[in-house]
Amino acid sequence: EPEVTQTPSHQVTQMGQEVILRCVPISNHLYFYWYRQILGQKVEFLVSFYNNEISEKSEIFDDQFSVERPDGSNFTLKIRSTKLEDSAMYFCASSERQGSYEQYFGPGTRLTVT
Amino acid sequence: AQKITQTQPGMFVQEKEAVTLDCTYDTSDQSYGLFWYKQPSSGEMIFLIYQGSYDEQNATEGRYSLNFQKARKSTNLVISASQLGDSAMYFCAMREPSDPSGGSYIPTFGRGTSLIVHP
């Protein structure tokens, strides 16, 4: 069964450093998403992406964040200058259609900023 | 104001019994979608079930069903015949149009309910 994959599973970085979180969505999906979940809290939407453009973003997704689909398979989230409060689990998801309720989530990347 | 409210931080159920996880939502839109995700201790988010605001029938998916009460703005998840593997966090979520044209949807998640199934 096709699945969304994410690498790395755990990333530790120092405050102020740049990190890139990688995702490989399901191959025939066209819509891609990033979410984050601070430990013990709810899942929060960050951004959605379609046709090489951001289609929606939340207030959390400020200038330090960017997303890219550098090739036909990868979808990345870059955090330019990490802060302690960026420590969270970051989930990538993909769906066949816009607004599709059936978004398939990846296993997540746990980012720890020290 | 919270858009999604899950009032039960934790629930316990005996194996093979049914359990209901509560969720209420707040929206002024007529068109919206409600869904539930399961998050086991391993951390991944697993889609369980979906209910559209215009669906007249309660959604069912195997052992999962929704008790959708539109007037009360609630969409409770019922898990029948609980299994030990059902122990997990359960998140209720809603997507509603984020612009007047209704052309895009940003989902909002609740804080989750931790379900523990006892043998």
Side-chain angles (χ1 to χ4, degrees):
Chain A
E1 186 175 329
E3 58 183 18
V4 177
T5 59
Q6 290 185 244
T7 54
S9 56
H10 190 191
Q11 172 100 43
V12 182
T13 189
Q14 288 192 325
M15 195 167 54
Q17 295 296 304
E18 175 183 286
V19 293
I20 297 177
L21 309 183
R22 301 182 194 298
C23 169
V24 178
I26 294 173
S27 61
N28 64 330
H29 286 186
L30 301 176
Y31 299 87
F32 315 117
Y33 314 84
W34 282 101
Y35 296 83
R36 81 170 184 193
Q37 184 182 29
I38 295 171
L39 186 65
Q41 298 190 24
K42 62 182 178 179
V43 176
E44 299 172 295
F45 170 81
L46 291 178
V47 66
S48 61
F49 191 86
Y50 169 70
N51 200 25
N52 285 320
E53 286 185 343
I54 290 173
S55 45
E56 289 291 334
K57 61 181 181 179
S58 70
E59 293 174 352
I60 303 167
F61 194 87
D62 61 22
D63 291 343
Q64 70 163 335
F65 291 95
S66 62
V67 289
E68 194 178 31
R69 188 153 163 82
D71 53 47
S73 59
N74 289 285
F75 178 51
T76 61
L77 174 69
K78 182 192 290 185
I79 309 175
R80 287 192 187 81
S81 178
T82 50
K83 303 190 281 281
L84 293 176
E85 53 265 37
D86 294 328
S87 295
M89 182 74 92
Y90 288 81
F91 291 102
C92 172
S94 69
S95 64
E96 271 188 89
R97 296 176 284 118
Q98 183 183 27
S100 168
Y101 59 87
E102 201 150 358
Q103 293 184 12
Y104 291 85
F105 279 69
T109 292
R110 179 163 298 285
L111 176 65
T112 302
V113 182
T114 62
Chain B
Q2 292 284 334
K3 284 189 175 277
I4 295 286
T5 303
Q6 295 181 253
T7 56
Q8 306 153 315
M11 289 285 286
F12 296 87
V13 66
Q14 201 74 29
E15 194 179 7
K16 300 179 186 176
E17 298 288 311
V19 64
T20 299
L21 307 184
D22 296 341
C23 175
T24 57
Y25 58 91
D26 180 27
T27 182
S28 56
D29 289 301
Q30 296 302 309
S31 175
Y32 52 89
L34 300 156
F35 40 98
W36 282 86
Y37 280 88
K38 172 184 178 182
Q39 186 178 42
S41 57
S42 50
E44 73 270 30
M45 295 284 285
I46 303 167
F47 168 77
L48 294 178
I49 193 168
Y50 168 82
Q51 179 87 45
S53 58
Y54 293 116
D55 294 340
E56 294 186 353
Q57 304 269 7
N58 284 336
T60 62
E61 196 70 49
R63 292 186 300 110
Y64 305 108
S65 61
L66 291 183
N67 181 5
F68 178 48
Q69 298 184 49
K70 193 170 181 177
R72 298 180 62 183
K73 294 187 177 178
S74 75
T75 177
N76 300 335
L77 175 69
V78 180
I79 305 175
S80 61
S82 298
Q83 301 172 356
L84 296 178
D86 293 335
S87 295
M89 283 291 290
Y90 288 82
F91 291 96
C92 176
M94 173 176 66
R95 61 171 178 83
E96 53 184 341
S98 58
D99 63 62
S101 69
S104 59
Y105 296 83
I106 292 181
T108 305
F109 285 77
R111 293 191 176 276
T113 294
S114 173
L115 175 66
I116 296 176
V117 180
H118 287 302

